[in-house]
Amino acid sequence: MLTYKVKKRNGELVDFNLSKIELAIDRALTALDYTGKYSAKEIALAVENKVIVDFVTKDKALSVEDVQDLTEKELMALGAYDVAKAYILYRSEHQKQRELKKDWINQEIKNNSFKINNEKGELEFYNETFWREKISNLAIDLNYIDLDTIIVGMRQSLYEGITTKELNKALINSVIALIERHYNYSYLASRLLLNDLSLEILGDKTLNNAFADYIKKGIEYELLDPELANFNLEIIAGALKAERDNNFQFLGAQTIYDRYLLKTPFQPRQVFELPQWMWMRIAMGLALKEDKREERAIEFYNTMSEFLLIPSTPTLFNSGTTHSQLSSCYLNSVEDSLSGIFKSFSDVASLSKWSGGVGTDWTNVRAMGSKIKGTNGDSQGIIPFIKIFNDIAVAVNQGGKRRGALAAYLEPWHKDIEEFLELKKNTGDERRRAHDIHPAVWIPDLFMKRVIADGEWTLFSPDEVPGLHEAYGKNFEHKYLDYELNATNIHSSKTIKARDLWRKMLTMLFETGHPWITFKDPCNLRSPQDHVGTVHNSNLCTEITLNNSKNEVAVCNLASLNLTKMVVAGKLDNELIKKTVRIGMRMLDNVIDINYYSIPETEKSNSLHRPVGLGLMGYHDALYQIGINFASEANVAFADKSMELISYYAYEASSDLALERGSYQSYPGSKWSRGLMPLDTLQLLEDERGVKLSVNKNSSLDWDALRTKIKTQGMRNSNCLAIAPTATISNIAGSVPCVEPIFKNIYSKENMSGSFTVINRYLVDDLLTIGLWNKEMVDLIKYHNGSVLGVPNIPVEIKNKYRETFEIEAKWVIAAAAARGKWIDQSASTNIFISGSSGKELSDLYVSAWETGLKTTYYLRTLAASQISKTIEVEIPKVILEEAPKACLINNPDCEACQ
């Protein structure tokens, strides 16, 4: 059954209620004695249909006034003019009654005689001074806060008998409605929300002296690990900093309140964890096996609670709990046998159950029409099995929190590739569609060379070309050419034009956002672990590039450095980056030993190689702070410099951990042991590819010293860096996700608690500085859907600084990604954004990505596939990328598989 929300006049979101419309129409019909002529129910159903067509399907915000307007229009369309007139009068009368009630309430407040229900259910006089003082105390360090306007807004929600709890909500809604005036209202709304939560949980206790009770209660609920009680809780509690709750903006506070803070296991489920307790619970969970665990827990707590670095969502959910599944993503390969295929289904279901995204390599499974030795029949190929794979994503929801998140990878020489590319199409045989998984192609260099040369391309079934699946680089080319020469003797071979297949890939990519374009050879040739096998695929978000095999399912654990916090006095703080990276690497390394492994192949892989993925977020925030435009060479240089710093300190930290704890088991023979750093592997890729990369190989730090240290001390982790899409944790930290350009300067966000505005605070500050930030400017920017390019009077340098995603040429995204890619031992989740629909432009962009040596790309975001609408009451634009699944929408970031 379709459900959707309606925004009430006080800003609250409630479920659409058809019976209310029917009742109002029935009253109008009854007043005119028309009950036999028209059916109130049928009219109400017609209104609901219009609501669905005009609002729900277009993802437009729906208000009470919108519903009433549609009701009037439907009555007029039926020719029921008298009924429409009666309904209009009915609305008008109710409006007058609301105004009279407001006048009466205002007069009662003036006379100090308005009463409310307190927490005990007792009537008491409404004390506006109390509410003013509450706001003033919480906003003491916030400028641009208009106390009178907040109070007036709160009064709009008052009614006789209102409860204190409802008043608190009305106050927050009043503040939320003002966020577009200045981002400080977002901080104030957050403080109000968390202050109310603290009062509810703490009563007359303090954050610090109630901490031990929280641990005890969590253990009694069988939610917290009993081992937490064995910490020195007095020392731990003494390190808690209540004032750090002030770091949250409203989106961050609401996100953790709704989804991360622990709730009681019984109904009604109530939050019993406070934000600072949450950070400390996570920190204690990560320090369980440390020798000086109180000291380390406090160090981890300080790093997270100040938003310097935040681990991925599975770690936030589960660290310190009775179920320590802290890993983000998994990579596996499917064997070419019925038992192997169904074992992979079982493995994927188990991995998915515990909140992990899974990337699965399907290349090894034979193609449709190839022979099955056991039965002498013909194979049905991979599509029917991927259909089952798709249904697992739907059926196995992740810990009751969200639908499974699965990606399927295939190399483009597989004979089923053409059907694979159509998995997300909305037309054709539904039995051969998979709408709930994420297809990706794993492209060898030879295919790109054939595309550029307009050559032919031969498709094979993997069972007839042994060794091709495991080969890469020149080895792959030699094997492939040999098989091509003998193609006439290979039963399932088929020859097509490479550009025809490339065109089909890009057409499907443009239409559906899939398949993701990823490159096999850079991932393998630059992998530190080339001595232990092949990288067969990436993960759900294309940033992980780890080996997997029949006996090993690769696992990665993620956290992200917040570059927003690394800028001090207009430049990067190298020492702060070094300190934060070292702490982050220690936290991630600890995850490997604490983690719950649902299948033995994951534990084996993690124990042998100990890979982690430290990434970053808040990249565009840092550009704003330093004064660099995204669409500039300065951005590319900054991407290069900042990533070099992060990578240097990450690799150094891993080596120092190896000195302390020992190297990972498979270290001997790795590129690390051979003195090869990720920068050095660019030359390896060039040599194997035979094509010069269009990226520089410059460096600025003492890499020779680090090479020497690693050869002496070893490495604790086979892989250290991976830039994941940080949607959810960026919301918590109040930064721009990942390394993306900002999506919108101003937009509307809706969740279960209501709708509110998210606004670019750097733009606000710059316009305030030159005296241009006011209500008229806000309205102009909203009129232009968040863009400032078409707004008159704004200086051109500010317009260029605040270009949004689709106003920045994709070449800058690719160039910056390539500059970062020099230093990364895994990969980066890189979305491509284009505003046009030119096939040549699209092809050129992805060829350029290959030529720069990118390992992977992620979604293609196209403005042509976007839809822009405005919320009716607030008039703030919201952009919906209809073809991308909501789990990964950059303006609706609910995906928890990675970050």
Side-chain angles (χ1 to χ4, degrees):
M1 183 173 135
L2 187 62
T3 60
Y4 37 93
K5 300 289 185 180
V6 180
K7 185 178 178 183
K8 294 172 67 176
R9 293 179 180 87
N10 64 1
E12 183 183 359
L13 286 182
V14 297
D15 289 335
F16 179 87
N17 191 335
L18 185 65
S19 62
K20 286 190 174 182
I21 303 172
E22 186 178 343
L23 179 62
I25 296 170
D26 187 65
R27 284 176 176 171
L29 292 172
T30 302
L32 293 170
D33 197 23
Y34 278 6
T35 50
K37 188 174 181 181
Y38 299 103
S39 165
K41 185 175 185 64
E42 288 180 7
I43 295 172
L45 287 170
V47 171
E48 182 180 34
N49 185 59
K50 288 292 289 181
V51 164
I52 292 169
V53 172
D54 293 350
F55 288 87
V56 178
T57 60
K58 297 177 181 178
D59 206 16
K60 290 172 64 176
L62 177 68
S63 71
V64 170
E65 297 295 334
D66 294 326
V67 176
Q68 293 181 342
D69 288 344
L70 288 175
T71 303
E72 283 184 23
K73 289 178 181 177
E74 189 59 33
L75 288 168
M76 297 291 283
L78 284 170
Y81 303 114
D82 289 345
V83 183
K85 182 179 178 181
Y87 183 75
I88 292 167
L89 291 172
Y90 165 83
R91 286 182 68 181
S92 178
E93 183 61 31
H94 275 257
Q95 176 65 25
K96 287 177 184 177
Q97 289 176 14
R98 285 192 296 272
E99 294 299 327
L100 287 172
K101 281 184 180 179
K102 286 178 185 176
D103 292 342
W104 175 81
I105 289 170
N106 288 332
Q107 189 60 45
E108 288 285 287
I109 291 171
K110 189 176 181 181
N111 296 336
N112 295 318
S113 56
F114 182 69
K115 292 184 178 180
I116 63 171
N117 278 298
N118 62 23
E119 291 88 345
K120 298 177 182 178
E122 301 168 342
L123 284 174
E124 64 178 36
F125 288 111
Y126 169 75
N127 182 355
E128 199 157 273
T129 302
F130 165 80
W131 296 98
R132 286 179 174 273
E133 288 178 353
K134 177 177 181 176
I135 299 166
S136 296
N137 290 335
L138 291 173
I140 193 166
D141 60 334
L142 299 177
N143 299 322
Y144 305 103
I145 300 296
D146 187 333
L147 187 57
D148 290 336
T149 303
I150 293 171
I151 292 295
V152 169
M154 186 177 76
R155 282 187 180 184
Q156 304 301 310
S157 297
L158 297 182
Y159 64 88
E160 195 173 6
I162 192 171
T163 66
T164 304
K165 189 171 185 178
E166 289 171 322
L167 264 173
N168 281 320
K169 190 171 184 179
L171 174 57
I172 292 172
N173 284 336
S174 177
V175 175
I176 288 170
L178 299 171
I179 291 174
E180 66 179 42
R181 292 191 176 190
H182 196 278
Y183 55 82
N184 275 347
Y185 284 102
S186 182
Y187 285 104
L188 178 56
S190 166
R191 294 178 187 186
L192 288 165
L193 175 68
L194 298 181
N195 178 71
D196 292 344
L197 180 64
S198 294
L199 290 173
E200 183 180 320
I201 291 176
L202 294 175
D204 57 359
K205 294 183 179 181
T206 67
L207 179 79
N208 304 74
N209 65 31
F211 181 73
D213 290 340
Y214 149 73
I215 295 293
K216 181 181 178 182
K217 189 181 294 184
I219 293 170
E220 288 174 355
Y221 291 156
E222 298 184 346
L223 294 174
L224 293 184
D225 187 337
E227 185 60 29
L228 298 191
N230 294 327
F231 279 74
N232 186 322
L233 297 183
E234 185 177 352
I235 291 174
I236 292 289
L240 294 166
K241 305 293 183 186
E243 64 273 16
R244 288 182 186 164
D245 279 358
N246 293 340
N247 292 339
F248 289 102
Q249 294 183 59
F250 182 71
L251 177 55
Q254 191 70 61
T255 298
I256 65 163
Y257 180 86
D258 287 339
R259 306 175 68 183
Y260 289 83
L261 299 178
L262 293 178
K263 297 178 176 66
T264 57
F266 48 81
Q267 297 294 341
R269 299 193 67 197
Q270 294 179 314
V271 172
F272 73 93
E273 183 176 60
L274 293 170
Q276 298 309 310
W277 292 349
M278 178 193 81
W279 293 128
M280 188 60 84
R281 179 255 301 167
I282 297 162
M284 292 166 72
L286 292 173
L288 280 173
K289 297 192 176 182
E290 291 276 6
D291 292 334
K292 300 177 180 178
R293 57 188 191 176
E294 285 81 12
E295 181 182 322
R296 289 298 182 186
I298 292 168
E299 180 181 61
F300 298 163
Y301 163 77
N302 288 331
T303 300
M304 291 184 289
S305 62
E306 296 203 74
F307 299 163
L308 300 174
L309 176 143
I310 300 180
S312 62
T313 281
T315 302
L316 300 185
F317 273 151
N318 299 323
S319 181
T321 70
T322 52
H323 186 78
S324 57
Q325 198 305 102
L326 313 182
S327 295
S328 303
C329 43
Y330 304 88
L331 286 70
N332 68 336
S333 287
V334 182
E335 286 184 69
D336 185 32
S337 68
L338 200 60
S339 60
I341 292 169
F342 276 84
K343 182 183 185 303
S344 75
F345 290 154
S346 175
D347 290 348
V348 165
S350 182
L351 295 169
S352 188
K353 174 184 176 181
W354 299 112
S355 299
V358 186
T360 299
D361 160 40
W362 286 86
T363 302
N364 206 40
V365 178
R366 68 191 61 206
M368 184 167 65
S370 62
K371 294 298 179 185
I372 303 172
K373 290 181 180 179
T375 64
N376 199 32
D378 292 337
S379 169
Q380 292 300 302
I382 65 169
I383 303 301
F385 293 114
I386 290 182
K387 179 69 172 173
I388 299 172
F389 184 67
N390 178 89
D391 293 342
I392 290 171
V394 177
V396 184
N397 85 345
Q398 302 194 349
K401 297 182 178 76
R402 68 184 183 97
R403 188 169 61 188
L406 310 178
Y409 283 77
L410 194 70
E411 294 192 41
W413 52 264
H414 194 289
K415 195 178 177 185
D416 289 348
I417 184 66
E418 292 172 287
E419 276 205 272
F420 178 82
L421 297 178
E422 296 181 345
L423 283 171
K424 303 283 280 190
K425 278 185 71 172
N426 290 319
T427 58
D429 186 352
E430 276 299 305
R431 292 171 298 180
R432 305 189 74 78
R433 298 290 177 263
H435 300 294
D436 302 290
I437 56 109
H438 306 284
V441 281
W442 193 241
I443 299 175
D445 283 349
L446 182 60
F447 176 75
M448 295 305 298
K449 292 177 184 177
R450 295 280 179 90
V451 169
I452 293 167
D454 194 17
E456 293 186 329
W457 185 247
T458 307
L459 307 180
F460 300 103
S461 180
D463 59 308
E464 297 174 344
V465 285
L468 207 54
H469 183 223
E470 297 295 324
Y472 55 86
K474 288 180 179 177
N475 186 28
F476 175 89
E477 289 199 18
H478 293 323
K479 287 180 180 294
Y480 186 87
L481 292 173
D482 284 345
Y483 285 128
E484 271 194 324
L485 287 173
N486 295 287
T488 54
N489 299 319
I490 297 175
H491 171 73
S492 297
S493 67
K494 175 184 176 182
T495 300
I496 60 174
K497 294 285 290 184
R499 284 190 182 177
D500 288 345
L501 184 58
W502 179 242
R503 186 178 297 110
K504 185 166 187 174
M505 282 183 201
L506 298 185
T507 300
M508 290 296 98
L509 183 63
F510 184 82
E511 290 180 2
T512 71
H514 294 86
W516 301 327
I517 305 296
T518 58
F519 300 110
K520 176 182 182 178
D521 289 339
C523 292
N524 277 282
L525 292 165
R526 299 191 62 207
S527 168
Q529 293 293 94
D530 57 344
H531 66 306
V532 291
T534 302
V535 181
H536 295 117
N537 56 303
S538 186
N539 66 316
L540 181 70
C541 304
T542 76
E543 80 278 10
I544 304 302
T545 54
L546 300 174
N547 308 74
N548 61 61
S549 64
K550 176 181 178 180
N551 300 315
E552 293 182 27
V553 172
V555 186
C556 205
N557 319 293
L558 302 171
S560 292
L561 181 83
N562 187 2
L563 213 58
T564 314
K565 298 290 185 178
M566 301 297 123
V567 178
V568 178
K571 62 181 182 180
L572 289 175
D573 186 326
N574 289 12
E575 285 305 310
L576 181 58
I577 292 174
K578 181 177 181 178
K579 178 183 177 183
T580 306
V581 166
R582 291 182 72 84
I583 293 170
M585 288 297 294
R586 191 177 196 95
M587 290 165 64
L588 286 170
D589 189 61
N590 287 355
V591 165
I592 295 167
D593 298 315
I594 298 163
N595 197 45
Y596 167 80
Y597 298 98
S598 60
I599 59 173
E601 292 87 349
T602 55
E603 185 168 17
K604 179 179 181 180
S605 176
N606 243 17
S607 298
L608 281 172
H609 315 303
R610 305 187 67 86
V612 299
L614 180 68
L616 68 146
M617 59 184 173
Y619 179 80
H620 206 165
D621 298 80
L623 293 183
Y624 288 139
Q625 291 170 298
I626 295 172
I628 295 173
N629 294 347
F630 204 107
S632 69
E633 290 294 345
N635 165 39
V636 179
F638 180 75
D640 197 337
K641 176 186 176 183
S642 57
M643 200 68 233
E644 181 179 10
L645 285 170
I646 294 167
S647 65
Y648 190 96
Y649 296 137
Y651 302 147
E652 182 182 56
S654 184
S655 183
D656 288 343
L657 280 171
L659 180 65
E660 176 187 340
R661 298 174 169 179
S663 289
Y664 67 94
Q665 290 183 46
S666 62
Y667 168 76
S670 66
K671 281 191 174 74
W672 305 114
S673 71
R674 284 143 46 200
L676 291 171
M677 306 301 288
L679 182 64
D680 305 321
T681 64
L682 289 175
Q683 190 60 52
L684 292 178
L685 177 58
E686 273 192 1
D687 292 344
E688 288 277 321
R689 183 179 284 183
V691 178
K692 187 172 178 59
L693 301 178
S694 53
V695 62
N696 74 71
K697 301 184 185 69
N698 302 335
S699 61
S700 60
L701 301 178
D702 189 352
W703 288 92
D704 286 335
L706 184 54
R707 285 186 186 89
T708 301
K709 173 179 272 197
I710 291 172
K711 292 198 85 171
T712 303
Q713 298 180 175
M715 287 285 282
R716 181 64 175 168
N717 313 99
S718 65
N719 299 76
C720 300
L721 297 174
I723 302 178
T726 62
T728 313
I729 63 171
S730 290
N731 283 348
I732 293 171
S735 63
V736 178
C738 195
V739 291
E740 308 287 5
I742 196 166
F743 189 66
K744 281 285 170 190
N745 286 313
I746 184 170
Y747 66 92
S748 177
K749 175 75 177 175
E750 293 180 8
N751 63 17
M752 63 186 73
S753 302
S755 63
F756 51 92
T757 305
V758 180
I759 193 165
N760 186 337
R761 62 185 186 272
Y762 307 103
L763 173 63
V764 174
D765 286 343
D766 279 357
L767 292 179
L768 273 170
T769 300
I770 60 175
L772 284 182
W773 186 255
N774 50 41
K775 185 180 184 304
E776 290 72 23
M777 179 57 70
V778 173
D779 289 341
L780 276 171
I781 294 174
K782 287 194 294 185
Y783 176 79
H784 288 278
N785 297 318
S787 171
V788 296
L789 293 188
V791 179
N793 301 327
I794 294 181
V796 66
E797 60 271 18
I798 290 182
K799 289 184 177 182
N800 287 331
K801 182 177 181 180
Y802 293 102
R803 287 177 179 269
E804 299 173 337
T805 296
F806 288 107
E807 297 168 343
I808 295 168
E809 288 183 83
K811 69 176 185 179
W812 297 113
V813 173
I814 291 171
R820 278 187 293 270
K822 292 165 50 179
W823 310 106
I824 301 174
D825 56 14
Q826 294 203 64
S827 189
S829 179
T830 304
N831 286 315
I832 306 294
F833 307 92
I834 62 168
S835 57
S837 57
S838 164
K840 183 180 185 305
E841 178 189 358
L842 189 59
S843 179
D844 288 348
L845 280 173
Y846 279 95
V847 169
S848 170
W850 177 75
E851 289 173 340
T852 61
L854 285 196
K855 296 175 182 176
T856 61
T857 65
Y858 195 27
Y859 279 106
L860 172 69
R861 308 293 192 182
T862 64
L863 196 60
S866 302
Q867 189 178 350
I868 299 176
S869 62
K870 295 182 180 179
T871 60
I872 303 304
E873 291 194 5
V874 189
E875 292 186 82
I876 299 170
K878 182 170 62 173
V879 175
I880 303 97
L881 301 179
E882 293 186 308
E883 296 302 325
K886 288 199 172 185
C888 292
L889 283 179
I890 45 184
N891 68 318
N892 185 14
D894 294 324
C895 180
E896 295 153 4
C898 291
Q899 300 264 299

